[in-house]
């Protein structure tokens, strides 16, 4: 069964460092998303990406964040200068068109 | 007012019980409703996906939507210990199928 794959599963970084979280969406999907879940809180939408550009972003997705689809399979989320409050689970999701979204297993980001 | 409200529980039931999980939403623009299951530190896994008001059944799971009262429910029949997880309701308005608004999640434990 096709699935969304995320790497790494856990990333520890020092405050102020840049991190890149990686995702391989389901191969025929066209729309890609990043979500964040701070421990004990809701899953929150960050950004959607289609046709090589951001289609929507939330208030959380400020200038510290960027997304990229560097090739035909990967989808990345970069956080330029991490803060303690960026510690969370980050989920990648994808869907085809007017279909339900499938989520990856997540990357746990710990900023120390 | 929060867009999607869900009682976080925790909810503890004996094996074999019928479980009822509920969410309310405030935005009439929400048209599509999902239930995801999330195991600890894992990604959300899609269980049910509905559009219309009414019931949708899949095995032991029944999703119910009442758009007039902005109320959605998930029923689990013959609950099993393997059903122990966090259950997330989610919704979108039909313009961006992967841009989801989630509830807080209800923590369910089914004990043998």
């Amino acid at each position: 069964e096709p699935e969304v794959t995320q790497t790494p599963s856990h990333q520890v970084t020092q405050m102020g460092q840049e991190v890149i979280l990686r995702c391989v969406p389901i191969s025929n999907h066209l729309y890609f998303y990043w979500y964040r879940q701070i421990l004990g809180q809701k899953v929150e939408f960050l950004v959607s990406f289609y046709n090589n550009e951001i289609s929507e972003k939330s208030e959380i997705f400020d200038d510290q964040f960027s997304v990229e689809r560097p090739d035909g399979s990967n989808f990345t989320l970069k956080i330029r200068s991490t803060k303690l409050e960026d510690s969370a689970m980050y989920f990648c999701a994808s869907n085809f068109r007017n279909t339900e979204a499938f989520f990856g297993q997540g990357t746990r980001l710990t900023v120390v | 007012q929060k867009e999607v409200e869900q009682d976080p529980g925790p909810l503890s039931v004996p094996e074999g019980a019928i479980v009822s999980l509920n969410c309310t939403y405030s935005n009439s623009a929400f048209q599509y409703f999902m239930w995801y299951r999330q195991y600890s530190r894992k990604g959300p896994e899609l269980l049910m996906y509905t559009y219309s008001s009414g019931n949708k059944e899949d095995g032991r799971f029944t999703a119910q939507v009442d758009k007039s009262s902005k109320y959605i429910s998930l029923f689990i029949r013959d609950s099993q210990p393997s059903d122990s997880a966090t259950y997330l309701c989610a919704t979108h308005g039909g313009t961006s199928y992967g841009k989801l608004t989630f509830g807080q999640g209800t923590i369910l434990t089914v004990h043998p």
Side-chain angles (χ1 to χ4, degrees):
Chain A
E1 188 174 317
E3 59 180 13
V4 176
T5 306
Q6 290 186 242
T7 54
S9 57
H10 186 198
Q11 172 99 43
V12 181
T13 189
Q14 289 204 325
M15 195 167 51
Q17 295 297 302
E18 175 184 286
V19 292
I20 297 176
L21 309 182
R22 302 180 192 279
C23 169
V24 179
I26 294 172
S27 62
N28 66 334
H29 284 186
L30 302 175
Y31 297 80
F32 314 112
Y33 310 87
W34 284 101
Y35 284 79
R36 178 182 82 174
Q37 187 178 31
I38 295 171
L39 188 64
Q41 297 188 24
K42 288 186 178 188
V43 177
E44 300 173 287
F45 168 79
L46 291 179
V47 66
S48 58
F49 192 86
Y50 169 70
N51 201 24
N52 274 324
E53 59 183 28
I54 291 173
S55 44
E56 279 189 88
K57 59 183 181 179
S58 71
E59 293 173 354
I60 304 166
F61 194 88
D62 62 21
D63 292 344
Q64 292 294 325
F65 293 91
S66 62
V67 289
E68 192 178 35
R69 188 152 162 84
D71 53 42
S73 59
N74 291 284
F75 179 51
T76 61
L77 174 70
K78 183 193 289 187
I79 309 175
R80 260 180 273 282
S81 178
T82 49
K83 308 183 192 70
L84 294 175
E85 55 265 36
D86 293 327
S87 295
M89 287 288 287
Y90 288 82
F91 296 109
C92 174
S94 68
N95 67 329
F96 177 57
R97 236 181 250 283
N98 297 340
T99 60
E100 60 272 27
F102 291 88
F103 285 74
Q105 292 300 295
T107 293
R108 182 156 63 105
L109 177 65
T110 303
V111 182
V112 296
Chain B
Q1 184 182 15
K2 294 178 185 174
E3 287 198 290
V4 179
E5 298 213 40
Q6 184 178 4
D7 185 344
L11 184 62
S12 180
V13 301
E15 183 174 354
I18 296 174
V19 176
S20 171
L21 305 167
N22 308 293
C23 286
T24 58
Y25 64 96
S26 58
N27 190 342
S28 298
F30 291 142
Q31 296 293 320
Y32 294 79
F33 306 93
M34 286 127 277
W35 285 95
Y36 284 85
R37 178 174 60 197
Q38 186 179 28
Y39 293 111
S40 182
R41 296 194 182 276
K42 299 292 184 184
E45 171 195 7
L46 182 67
L47 282 176
M48 301 288 284
Y49 184 76
T50 59
Y51 169 70
S52 318
S53 279
N55 293 351
K56 181 178 180 180
E57 193 172 310
D58 184 359
R60 296 184 296 110
F61 298 91
T62 300
Q64 192 174 79
V65 175
D66 182 346
K67 289 186 178 180
S68 63
S69 57
K70 297 188 178 69
Y71 195 85
I72 57 176
S73 301
L74 178 72
F75 299 97
I76 308 174
R77 287 183 299 283
D78 187 26
S79 56
Q80 303 294 308
S82 57
D83 294 327
S84 299
T86 299
Y87 289 81
L88 310 171
C89 61
T91 179
H92 67 78
T95 54
S96 176
Y97 278 61
K99 185 191 172 189
L100 304 177
T101 300
F102 281 88
Q104 177 76 20
T106 300
I107 301 169
L108 171 68
T109 302
V110 181
H111 51 88

